[in-house]
Amino acid sequence: MSFVFALGHRHDLPADRLLALVGGKAANLAVMAGELELPVPAGFVITTDACKAYLANGWPEGLDDEIHAAIGALEAGAGRRFGDARNPLLLSIRSGAPVSMPGMMDTILNVGLNDETERGLAASSGDAEFARDCHRRLVEMFTKTVGVAAVPSDPWRQLREGAEAVFRSWNGERARAYRSRERIPEDLGTAVTVQAMVFGNLGADSASGVLFTRNPATGEPGFYGDVLFSSQGEDVVAGGHQTEPLGALDQRLPAVAGELRQHATVLERHFADLCDIEFTIERGKLWLLQVRVGKRSPRAALRIAVDLAEEADFPLSRAEAVKRVAALLEHPPMISAGTSRDAVAIAAGLGASPGMATGEIATSSEAAVAAADAGREAILVRSETSPDDVRGMARAVGVLTSRGGLASHAAVVARGWGIPAVVGAEGLRVDDGWIDVGGQVLKAGELITIDGGTGEIFAGAVANTSTVAPETTTLLGWARELGIELSASGGERARSARTLEPASADDLIRTLLIKGAASLDELAAGNLVDGGLVELHDGSYRLTAEGKSKGEVLLASDRQSWGAGRTAAALDGFHALDQRMKEAVTAWQLREEGEARAINDHSDAAYDARVLDRIATLHEDVANWMSSLHDAPPRLDRYLERLARALALAQGGDHRFVASPKVDSYHGVWFELHEELIQLAGRTREEEAAAGRA
C-alpha cells in the first residue's frame, strides 16, 4: 500500500474514493494544477490511510522512505534542497479531511527553518527581516501545534513531527466538536498536504488573501473577499489582523488582480457553485493554495442557486438548483425587513452571516455553553474566534468579534451553521466579563442584539420584522413546473436521527437503494463498508456497484414474492392518495391569496390546523389502503408506524414533522414509501413523472 502521492498523480479511482483517500484539499489542488493548469505550488499528499494507520498503531513502516522520495521530486522541480543551508526549500504542512472542516485541524508553515537555513533564506531572498519573520512564525506555530518547548533543528524531524501533529488533530477536542455539530463520521481521518512554501510576507508586492466568487453572506454577485499585504495565509483566516477589501489589489497590483479574477471565474464554472479560494502573491507572482465549494448562509444559498441557474451558459440547470437547496425550501430562511424605529445602533461591523439574534453577552466559549445548558440564549463576543471556540459557537445564537473579515474563522463557521454574525467591529473592546461597545460598557449577562445582515449592534433586545427570502417563491415555482419532490434524500435528510431503523443488513441495502444516501449514524453501516457494499460520498454513505447489484437481487426477490400483478396494482392504487398528499403539502407551504399564491408564514394557526386535519384524514385512508394489500412485504408496515409518529408530533405542535427534511417528517416518509412502491413495481420515478403519476 502506498501512503504518499504527488499532487499530480493520476489515480484510477472514482471521485468519491479519491476524496476519501487524499482529502478535499489535495483533490482540488490536483484539479487546479492538472486539469485546469492554474498556478499551484508543487507538493504531495500523505493519505488518510496513513492517518488511520498512525492513530491505530503509530507511524507506519515505510512512510519515511516514501516521504523522502517525494521531497526529492520537489527539490528537483524547485531547484532548492530541503535543509540546505545556502538555498533552502521550505514546506507547508496542512490538514485535508474528506469533508471540509475549516480551521478545525492543524497547520504548520515554514517547515525546514533553523539558524543555518534562516541565514540561507536571508541570502537567497535578499531580505534578512523576512527570513527572521518566517523563523519566528515557525517557532510560534510549531511549539503551539506540536506541543513542545522548542522546535527541533533537524528539518526532517520537523516534517515528521508536524505530520504527526496533523494526524493527532483529527481527534482533537475542537475537531470532535465540529464533527458532532455537522454529523461528520468519526472514521474518515485526515490527509496531510505538503507543499513548497510560497511567501506572501516577502515585501510590499506580496500578500495573502481569500476570494469568494459570490458574497457568501448575502449571495450578491461579484467577487468578494479579504487581502492582507506582507502577510502569510494564517494572518487572514485567524481573524487577528484587520484585512483590506479585495478591491485593494486593484490599486496595488492591478495585473495580479485581473489574473486572480480570471482564475476565479474558471473555478466557479468548473465547480458550478460558489467557490472559496485561498491565494498568495509572492513578489507579484500569484499562487492558488486552495479551492473548495464555499460555505454560505441559507439566505445566500437561495440567491446563488437562482442566479447561477438563470445565468446564460452557466453549467447549472433549474432542476439542479432546486435540488441543491431542497432542504431550505421546506422551511425557508427569513430575512430582516427592518428594526424598530426607536432602535439606535451603538456600533457596527461587517455583516458576516445574516439574521437578527438577541442574547446575553458571553465573553468565553465556556460561558456560552453554560448559558445554553441553563436554557438561556447567548451571543458569543470575542476579539476574534479561533477553532478552540467551536464548542461555544455551536451553542450560541450569534457571534460578534472586534477583528477579522468575511474570511475569518468566525465568519466562515457562522455562515456554515446559519448563525447570525458580525465581525470586524472596530468600536468593540472585549475583556473578561465585560465589553465596551462604542463607549458603552456592558457586563457579561446583559442582553445585546446583532444584525448579521447590516452589521449593526444594539444594546438590549430589539424588535424587528422579517420576511421570507424572495428567491423562495422562484425556486418553489421551478419545483412545481419540473415536478420535483422537495423531500430531500441524502444531505440534511440523511442526517436526521431515526427511532425506527432498518433491522438487518439486507434492509440497510434496500433503504440505501430507495434513499440514495445516508449517514453512518443512521445506518450503522460499518459492516457493509467493510464488505465493499457501501462507500463514502460527500460525507454520506452510498451503495457501490456491488451494493446496487445486491440491492437489485433483493428487490427482484421481493417483487417475485409479492407478485408482479400485485405490485403494479398497489402502485396504481397509491396514485390517488399521493395526489392528495401533494395538494396538502402545497397548502402547507403556500397559501392562496385571490388568484396568487404566497408563502405560508404559519402565522394563522387556524389555517395550519385545517391543513393538518386534511393530512390526518389522508392518514386514515392510507392505513385502510395498506391493510388491503395482500402478501405485501412486512417491511412496508414500518412506513405506517413512521407516518403515524410524524403526524402525532406535528399535531402536538412540532410542525417540522409535516415536511422538514431535517427530521423524519410525514412528507419525507411518504416520499420513501412512494419510491419503494415504484421500485417494487419495476418502474422508475422518471417514467412515473412522464406519465403524470409522480
Side-chain angles (χ1 to χ4, degrees), residues 137-305:
R137 290 169 181 271
L138 171 66
V139 171
E140 290 178 356
M141 296 183 79
F142 194 97
T143 53
K144 178 182 178 181
T145 300
V146 182
V148 294
V151 180
S153 59
D154 180 4
W156 291 98
R157 188 175 160 197
Q158 292 176 20
L159 175 55
R160 174 162 168 171
E161 291 186 13
E164 289 181 299
V166 173
F167 286 155
R168 289 194 302 270
S169 70
W170 173 256
N171 285 330
E173 181 180 354
R174 67 189 190 229
R176 285 183 175 276
Y178 189 89
R179 290 200 296 274
S180 175
R181 177 67 164 74
E182 289 286 287
R183 295 187 180 273
I184 297 171
E186 291 286 331
D187 61 347
L188 304 182
T190 181
V192 177
T193 303
V194 180
Q195 288 177 279
M197 279 292 300
V198 289
F199 301 99
N201 57 330
L202 193 50
D205 57 353
S206 301
S208 295
V210 175
L211 177 148
F212 299 94
T213 54
R214 312 257 160 168
N215 187 316
T218 66
E220 183 180 357
F223 299 122
Y224 213 89
D226 300 325
V227 65
L228 192 61
F229 292 92
S230 297
S231 71
Q232 290 194 343
E234 290 302 298
D235 299 334
V236 178
V237 298
H241 296 74
Q242 205 64 37
T243 58
E244 295 185 66
L246 199 63
L249 268 182
D250 292 297
Q251 304 299 319
R252 299 266 296 261
L253 300 168
V256 176
E259 182 185 359
L260 177 60
R261 286 180 166 84
Q262 283 184 329
H263 296 336
T265 300
V266 168
L267 288 168
E268 185 179 68
R269 292 187 66 84
H270 177 85
F271 288 98
D273 207 343
L274 163 73
C275 285
D276 170 353
I277 303 164
E278 294 183 18
F279 64 90
T280 283
I281 303 163
E282 179 185 295
R283 287 182 169 167
K285 165 69 175 174
L286 175 65
W287 295 96
L288 304 183
L289 306 184
Q290 177 170 307
V291 64
R292 59 191 172 199
V293 172
K295 294 187 179 297
R296 78 291 310 266
S297 71
R299 165 71 175 92
L302 295 182
R303 176 163 185 180
I304 290 169

Side-chain angles (χ1 to χ4, degrees), residues 244-553:
E244 295 185 66
L246 199 63
L249 268 182
D250 292 297
Q251 304 299 319
R252 299 266 296 261
L253 300 168
V256 176
E259 182 185 359
L260 177 60
R261 286 180 166 84
Q262 283 184 329
H263 296 336
T265 300
V266 168
L267 288 168
E268 185 179 68
R269 292 187 66 84
H270 177 85
F271 288 98
D273 207 343
L274 163 73
C275 285
D276 170 353
I277 303 164
E278 294 183 18
F279 64 90
T280 283
I281 303 163
E282 179 185 295
R283 287 182 169 167
K285 165 69 175 174
L286 175 65
W287 295 96
L288 304 183
L289 306 184
Q290 177 170 307
V291 64
R292 59 191 172 199
V293 172
K295 294 187 179 297
R296 78 291 310 266
S297 71
R299 165 71 175 92
L302 295 182
R303 176 163 185 180
I304 290 169
V306 170
D307 285 352
L308 294 183
E310 291 188 328
E311 189 172 312
D313 300 325
F314 195 86
L316 184 74
S317 69
R318 288 185 172 186
E320 290 167 332
V322 170
K323 292 174 182 177
R324 180 174 289 179
V325 295
L328 292 175
L329 294 176
E330 299 288 354
H331 284 280
M334 307 295 285
I335 59 175
S336 175
T339 58
S340 166
R341 292 182 179 180
D342 298 330
V344 178
I346 57 176
L350 296 173
S353 182
M356 295 280 288
T358 298
E360 65 179 57
I361 297 166
T363 58
S364 70
S365 286
E366 293 75 14
V369 171
D373 286 343
R376 304 190 308 274
E377 296 185 333
I379 305 288
L380 179 62
V381 187
R382 305 281 284 160
S383 296
E384 72 268 356
T385 65
S386 74
D388 295 329
D389 289 310
V390 67
R391 288 184 66 248
M393 295 180 72
R395 304 296 300 279
V397 298
V399 178
L400 170 62
T401 69
S402 61
R403 295 197 289 268
L406 286 186
S408 65
H409 173 268
V412 171
V413 174
R415 282 194 297 272
W417 288 351
I419 302 170
V422 175
V423 301
E426 295 184 1
L428 170 66
R429 178 186 171 196
V430 184
D431 211 317
D432 185 19
W434 58 272
I435 66 174
D436 183 330
V437 193
Q440 184 170 343
V441 176
L442 301 172
K443 295 180 181 178
E446 292 188 61
L447 290 180
I448 59 169
T449 298
I450 62 172
D451 186 332
T454 65
E456 293 174 301
I457 307 162
F458 304 88
V462 173
N464 77 296
T465 57
S466 58
T467 184
V468 174
E471 292 80 12
T472 305
T473 303
T474 300
L475 289 157
L476 287 174
W478 290 353
R480 288 194 303 274
E481 292 169 9
L482 298 166
I484 297 173
E485 292 274 2
L486 290 180
S487 180
S489 62
E492 291 296 324
R493 178 88 175 87
R495 297 176 186 171
S496 176
R498 296 283 185 268
T499 57
L500 296 164
E501 294 183 349
S504 68
D506 285 351
D507 273 354
L508 296 177
I509 292 174
R510 289 184 176 97
T511 298
L512 279 173
L513 201 64
I514 293 162
K515 294 176 56 179
S519 70
L520 183 62
D521 289 342
E522 181 184 351
L523 292 181
N527 59 328
L528 299 181
V529 176
D530 295 340
L533 300 177
V534 169
E535 62 188 1
L536 181 69
H537 182 81
D538 289 342
S540 297
Y541 286 87
R542 300 186 179 186
L543 291 174
T544 61
E546 184 179 353
K548 289 178 182 177
S549 297
K550 171 74 171 176
E552 293 295 340
V553 170

Side-chain angles (χ1 to χ4, degrees), residues 544-664:
T544 61
E546 184 179 353
K548 289 178 182 177
S549 297
K550 171 74 171 176
E552 293 295 340
V553 170
L554 293 171
L555 191 60
S557 176
D558 289 340
R559 190 181 299 130
Q560 182 177 5
S561 176
W562 195 6
R566 286 176 174 171
T567 59
L571 178 59
D572 291 340
F574 184 78
H575 173 61
L577 298 169
D578 185 54
Q579 187 61 37
R580 289 167 59 190
M581 183 62 192
K582 288 178 179 176
E583 292 169 357
V585 170
T586 298
W588 183 256
Q589 295 170 335
L590 297 170
R591 295 186 57 173
E592 300 283 351
E593 290 186 359
E595 296 182 357
R597 282 179 169 174
I599 299 294
N600 179 19
D601 62 4
H602 304 290
S603 60
D604 187 340
Y607 175 86
D608 283 352
R610 290 194 296 273
V611 178
L612 287 174
D613 287 344
R614 289 172 61 179
I615 296 175
T617 301
L618 172 62
H619 183 76
E620 293 177 4
D621 294 340
V622 171
N624 292 332
W625 168 77
M626 289 192 75
S627 67
S628 70
L629 299 177
H630 298 293
D631 300 322
R635 188 177 64 260
L636 294 183
D637 292 337
R638 226 177 283 144
Y639 286 109
L640 193 58
E641 297 173 37
R642 289 168 61 195
L643 288 168
R645 174 178 176 271
L647 177 59
L649 289 167
Q651 290 175 321
D654 192 343
H655 289 171
R656 296 177 302 162
F657 283 88
V658 175
S660 172
K662 297 185 179 181
V663 297
D664 212 24

